[in-house]
Amino acid sequence: MQASSQIETRQMEQAFADSARDFLQTVTPLTRLRALRDTTPGYEREVWQKMAEAGWTGLLVPEDQGGLELGLDAAAAVAIEVGKHPLPEPYLPCAIHAAAALAALPPSALRDDLLAGLAAGTHIVGLAWQESHGGADGAAMRTRAETQGGSSALSGTKQWVYPAVADGWLVFCDDGLYWVPAGTAGLRSETHARVDGSLAATLSLEQAMVPASNRLASAAAARQALEHAHSCARIIQAAELLGIAEQAFQATLDYLKTRVQFGKPIGANQALQHRMVDARLQVELATAVLKEFLSQLPEDAGRFAAGSGRVKARCAHAALHMTRLSIQFHGAIGYTDELDVGLYLKRALHLAGWLGGVLENRRLAWSGAGSGEQAAEAHAEPIEAGKDEDWNRLPEPVFRATIRRFLKENYPDSLRNPPKRLHWADLKDWYLALSRQGWIAPAWPREHGGMGLDPDKLIAFIEEMEAYGVARTPDQGIINIGPVLIKYGTEAQRRKYLPKIVSGENIWCQGYSEPNAGSDLASLRTEAVLDGDHFIVNGQKIWTTLAQDATHIFMLVRTDKTVKKQAGISFLLADMKTPGITVRPIRNIGGEEEFCEVFFDQVKVPRENLVGELNQGWTIAKALLDFERIFVGSPNQARYALNHLRLLGVSRDLFKDQAFTDRYAASMLDVEDLQSLYAGYADIVKRGEPLPPSVSLLKIWATETYSRIAMEVVEAAQENGGDATTLLVDDTQITPCARLYNSAITTIYGGTNEIQRNILAKQVLGLPA
């Protein structure tokens, strides 16, 4: 039933998006936007009426007042298209901001009439609330309302009022909210141009007389309605900003493919390619954050406001970054008004300056982060969990509470927040405890011994593990070879190996990289020659994580030297006790033996250990790298480092410094937005679909976010940041340099981030070689 509802919602959103795109391209092309710039009122009533007939102006209006009441999903679908095809009519200030405020007010004849007029397109209504730079939330309105007989006299000044020209405005005063029609005696309006050519008004009210019946709400009700309207408007602003970012990105990508200099398209330049990949990453993050928030709109007003700030901050950053980059990449023509990209930059600047830009909305998200959630979780009771529990049906607060109780009862305090990568001997008991509980493979299908978690539950599981300081287990079997065997292995291989991975009987390591064959993995030289029922393996692997603890290894070997290098590779499994295998640990810069060299000298591997077809291992190798990239792309390591940064900040009173708080808030949102991006790819895996090449975006953002936060931990540790010793902060061990070392390697394994950018530029963006 829920899946059917989601499909219907997506179909509805797509229908509105398609309709909006056709409408905007046909009725209001960019030539019209240019013609109406800096004119008064800056829009046309006839087009507004057509928008009403299309249902746009009634998307947030209740059905009882003639609206469609389809909510923010449909409104956002329209707004994304408005971002791509800028519209002079006041869709956002009137159909969203004002409509949301009115819909949140107590019912009255006047309120219902205004909503009906919005839906029908006969009324253009704005909000007049802001009285100073930076806004505020309307809690201290200086505009006064004095009762005089059967009327109210309003006095005060409102700034940055949108739309500047309207049939009237909802004016917020010290004692409530009033409807003030245009032309009211004592009301004076002065307009000024915004950077995108639209108009803002300053309303001066000097004993402006309105009937007492024009009071729509008390001060408390008005304040709640205003806060709700701001949150709704920020979300739809975010959607429009996302549309701007997408349009600017596509225009720039097309230009890079067609603009020729020095005899080749400028898009062949690697530096430009990498910057476009980073720009695409920002657009993807914005898309993921908006999509996730719209799918899980919180009922709590505090969380709703904080979430709207997070979404606006991410989408504003993407739009401003992309439009500025677009102007630069277009060269001198990008600096002229002849190119449309300037229109998108100006609209992004207008939207970012209204209801807060990136910094202000990050602060909003930080100030309200977790509002309502902690209280819900505090009242959640854990359950007595069996191995066969359907975790996806469990309410998330209960699921989290159950995990926390299990951790408290089973995870050793001595292993919390370890400063280094732990070995099998350290973690064996914990691994086996997870195995007995049925929790060792949270993302595996249930039929293979996993939990079968949906993306939201998987992220909750990761978050609780990280928050408790749980060490990473020896997990190559769980995250790599297990999924490969589930997808590519024979039934016999699955029966033989998967249960032993779950039980901890088999511990795996990965034999991919070789000397001179790291990122260029297809150049590997370890050879396997078929001899009867066995392969004879000779060669060397390097950077093999925790090979000294492993019982088995999965590896890529060359089985045909006569074909192109990718075509002659096979995927083999081997027992580490096989004669001829030698392991030599390598000490890393932190002094730990995390990696190893593995040597193969006439090693006999049964032919039945071949996964997939002979010489077809490259396909499996790429799939395994995708599994690795989605694992590396999970938010767990960045969240782990963020927790350390928070602990240092609290213990050293760093949050009293606004600069530190702003940096922390930015890092916190980077991790939250990484989580949204990760959830989308985790859902693809859950559906059993192949991961697209764009999964490399996830790996890049996760590892570079982790590296940034790890460096912030070193800085926050001050003098201790240069110590080799471990700090004890609130019962948590923190070794700043060790975390920094670890973050550095994450940008290398699974394919360096620079190689990932090359792949994305070619395979996802289609830029020329």
Side-chain angles (χ1 to χ4, degrees):
M1 187 70 179
Q2 185 178 5
S4 175
S5 176
Q6 290 174 347
I7 292 172
E8 291 175 0
T9 299
R10 286 196 294 269
Q11 291 174 340
M12 178 270 293
E13 292 170 12
Q14 190 59 53
F16 265 96
D18 294 341
S19 174
R21 188 182 311 113
D22 293 341
F23 178 93
L24 291 162
Q25 291 176 339
T26 304
V27 178
T28 179
L30 289 181
T31 52
R32 176 174 172 269
L33 180 72
R34 292 179 180 277
L36 289 172
R37 284 187 302 182
D38 304 318
T39 65
T40 302
Y43 59 86
E44 295 176 302
R45 285 275 188 171
E46 294 81 1
V47 174
W48 181 257
Q49 187 61 50
K50 291 179 180 178
M51 291 167 58
E53 293 167 0
W56 296 12
T57 63
L59 289 173
L60 302 188
V61 175
E63 292 182 5
D64 289 346
Q65 283 73 53
L68 297 179
E69 203 172 357
L70 291 176
L72 292 173
D73 291 324
V78 171
I80 290 173
E81 296 305 320
V82 170
K84 296 177 181 178
H85 311 280
L87 177 73
E89 277 65 36
Y91 172 69
L92 181 57
C94 187
I96 305 300
H97 204 199
L102 282 167
L105 294 175
S108 69
L110 177 56
R111 172 255 198 191
D112 293 351
D113 178 67
L114 291 172
L115 282 169
L118 278 175
T122 58
H123 287 30
I124 291 183
V125 178
L127 293 188
W129 65 277
Q130 192 168 353
E131 298 183 350
S132 61
H133 293 280
D137 61 1
M141 292 293 179
R142 292 189 295 270
T143 301
R144 299 286 183 249
E146 298 178 359
T147 301
Q148 297 183 7
S151 300
S152 295
L154 311 185
S155 297
T157 302
K158 300 293 185 181
Q159 302 186 67
W160 295 287
V161 177
Y162 309 102
V165 180
D167 296 319
W169 296 273
L170 301 171
V171 178
F172 290 80
C173 299
D174 59 337
D175 76 333
L177 175 62
Y178 290 81
W179 166 243
V180 181
T184 296
L187 171 65
R188 182 166 51 88
S189 173
E190 294 182 359
T191 64
H192 69 271
R194 298 286 287 173
V195 68
D196 65 335
S198 64
L199 297 176
T202 297
L203 299 184
S204 299
L205 300 106
E206 299 176 2
Q207 293 288 300
M209 302 296 294
V210 296
S213 59
N214 280 24
R215 185 174 184 263
L216 287 157
S218 67
R223 187 159 49 250
Q224 290 180 356
L226 181 61
E227 292 170 354
H228 175 74
H230 285 348
S231 296
C232 292
R234 288 189 197 97
I235 294 164
I236 305 307
Q237 277 183 326
E240 186 173 345
L241 285 159
L242 175 58
I244 290 170
E246 290 180 347
Q247 187 69 16
F249 178 88
Q250 191 59 51
T252 308
L253 184 62
D254 293 343
Y255 185 75
L256 292 180
K257 292 178 180 179
T258 56
R259 176 73 165 109
V260 174
Q261 285 188 341
F262 305 109
K264 63 173 62 177
I266 62 174
N269 183 294
Q270 188 183 64
L272 301 188
Q273 290 183 349
H274 283 199
R275 292 184 69 186
M276 282 297 285
V277 168
D278 290 341
R280 184 70 233 172
L281 174 54
Q282 292 302 320
V283 176
E284 292 291 334
L285 281 166
T287 303
V289 171
L290 177 63
K291 179 181 178 181
E292 182 186 65
F293 188 73
L294 287 172
S295 69
Q296 304 174 22
L297 289 174
E299 295 182 2
D300 177 81
R303 292 181 62 202
F304 186 47
S308 74
R310 173 192 166 201
V311 175
K312 168 78 182 287
R314 175 57 63 190
C315 292
H317 175 77
L320 291 169
H321 174 78
M322 190 61 243
T323 51
R324 288 181 295 158
L325 188 71
S326 184
I327 288 174
Q328 179 189 352
F329 280 12
H330 277 87
I333 189 67
Y335 188 61
T336 70
D337 191 47
E338 296 179 17
L339 198 70
D340 290 338
V341 68
L343 299 176
Y344 294 98
L345 171 62
K346 291 177 179 179
R347 181 58 67 94
L349 289 168
H350 159 64
L351 292 170
W354 173 27
L355 295 179
V358 175
L359 178 60
E360 292 89 345
N361 279 289
R362 280 176 179 165
R363 289 176 176 174
L364 173 63
W366 159 246
S367 66
S371 174
E373 184 174 0
Q374 294 179 349
E377 290 182 2
H379 291 91
E381 290 294 331
I383 65 169
E384 293 297 332
K387 292 181 67 171
D388 297 328
E389 186 73 38
D390 185 353
W391 303 105
N392 293 318
R393 295 174 62 98
L394 209 63
E396 185 168 315
V398 176
F399 178 57
R400 288 178 179 271
T402 303
I403 295 170
R404 287 195 294 272
R405 184 172 70 178
F406 179 81
L407 292 173
K408 187 174 181 180
E409 294 176 351
N410 293 275
Y411 190 76
D413 286 339
S414 60
L415 298 184
R416 292 183 68 180
N417 299 293
K420 61 182 181 180
R421 184 75 184 267
L422 299 182
H423 289 262
W424 173 244
D426 304 310
L427 291 167
K428 178 180 177 180
D429 291 343
W430 169 239
Y431 191 106
L432 297 179
L434 284 172
S435 175
R436 288 191 296 270
Q437 179 66 16
W439 287 5
I440 194 62
W444 283 19
R446 292 168 65 89
E447 61 266 27
H448 295 300
M451 296 174 74
L453 295 183
D454 287 339
D456 59 331
K457 290 295 195 304
L458 179 59
I459 287 172
F461 187 86
I462 291 170
E463 284 182 347
E464 293 300 332
M465 292 288 176
E466 288 303 321
Y468 201 75
V470 174
R472 179 181 173 182
T473 60
D475 53 15
Q476 294 287 352
I478 300 297
I479 66 173
N480 282 335
I481 190 59
V484 163
L485 291 177
I486 289 170
K487 186 169 185 179
Y488 295 101
T490 64
E491 185 58 37
Q493 288 169 340
R494 286 192 284 268
R495 285 198 305 269
K496 179 177 181 179
Y497 292 113
L498 293 182
K500 293 182 179 180
I501 294 172
V502 171
S503 69
E505 183 176 345
N506 289 354
I507 304 301
W508 289 81
C509 63
Q510 173 179 293
Y512 264 34
S513 296
E514 298 181 5
N516 301 315
S519 292
D520 184 14
L521 190 57
S523 296
L524 63 87
R525 292 183 292 178
T526 295
E527 184 180 17
V529 177
L530 189 59
D531 182 14
D533 292 333
H534 289 80
F535 291 94
I536 307 301
V537 181
N538 288 280
Q540 176 188 357
K541 297 294 180 180
I542 197 169
W543 314 128
T544 308
T545 303
L546 300 180
Q548 66 270 56
D549 295 342
T551 62
H552 290 73
I553 185 171
F554 56 91
M555 55 184 168
L556 293 179
V557 293
R558 187 161 300 285
T559 47
D560 191 339
K561 297 180 180 179
T562 66
V563 295
K564 67 178 184 177
K565 56 186 184 179
Q566 287 93 341
I569 292 173
S570 296
F571 194 100
L572 279 184
L573 313 176
D575 190 318
M576 292 291 281
K577 295 192 299 291
T578 307
I581 297 180
T582 303
V583 177
R584 187 185 76 84
I586 301 171
R587 192 174 295 275
N588 65 24
I589 59 175
E592 306 298 332
E593 292 183 346
E594 182 177 354
F595 305 110
C596 298
E597 291 178 285
V598 183
F599 300 92
F600 300 86
D601 182 12
Q602 294 294 110
V603 176
K604 293 181 66 174
V605 177
R607 182 169 183 165
E608 66 189 33
N609 286 16
L610 175 70
V611 180
E613 299 297 323
L614 186 68
N615 298 322
Q616 299 299 311
W618 189 246
T619 298
I620 301 174
K622 291 191 295 182
L624 189 146
L625 283 171
D626 285 343
F627 291 135
E628 183 173 4
R629 285 166 191 155
I630 194 171
F631 174 79
V632 177
S634 81
N636 59 349
Q637 295 188 96
R639 192 174 292 282
Y640 192 86
L642 186 70
N643 185 48
H644 285 188
L645 183 61
R646 179 187 61 81
L647 290 171
L648 284 168
V650 171
S651 67
R652 301 187 176 202
D653 288 332
L654 298 179
F655 284 105
K656 293 179 180 178
D657 178 359
Q658 186 64 55
F660 176 84
T661 301
D662 286 342
R663 290 196 303 273
Y664 181 87
S667 295
M668 179 195 75
L669 294 181
D670 282 347
V671 176
E672 295 295 329
D673 297 349
L674 164 63
Q675 179 173 299
S676 298
L677 189 64
Y678 174 78
Y681 287 101
D683 195 38
I684 293 173
V685 174
K686 174 73 175 178
R687 297 196 302 267
E689 299 172 3
L691 285 163
S694 61
V695 70
S696 292
L697 290 170
L698 179 66
K699 193 261 184 182
I700 291 171
W701 183 250
T703 57
E704 294 181 2
T705 297
Y706 178 32
S707 294
R708 285 195 302 272
I709 299 174
M711 190 66 233
E712 290 178 9
V713 169
V714 172
E715 293 177 352
Q718 299 162 323
E719 289 84 357
N720 296 119
D723 287 342
T725 55
T726 296
L727 296 172
L728 188 64
V729 182
D730 193 22
D731 295 327
T732 298
Q733 298 180 72
I734 299 176
T735 307
C737 287
R739 183 59 47 194
L740 183 65
Y741 299 153
N742 178 263
S743 70
I745 194 63
T746 65
T747 65
I748 299 171
Y749 60 59
T752 69
N753 287 6
E754 288 67 35
I755 293 296
Q756 300 311 308
R757 287 180 167 92
N758 289 344
I759 294 170
L760 289 161
K762 304 298 189 301
Q763 296 187 14
V764 177
L765 304 188
L767 288 167

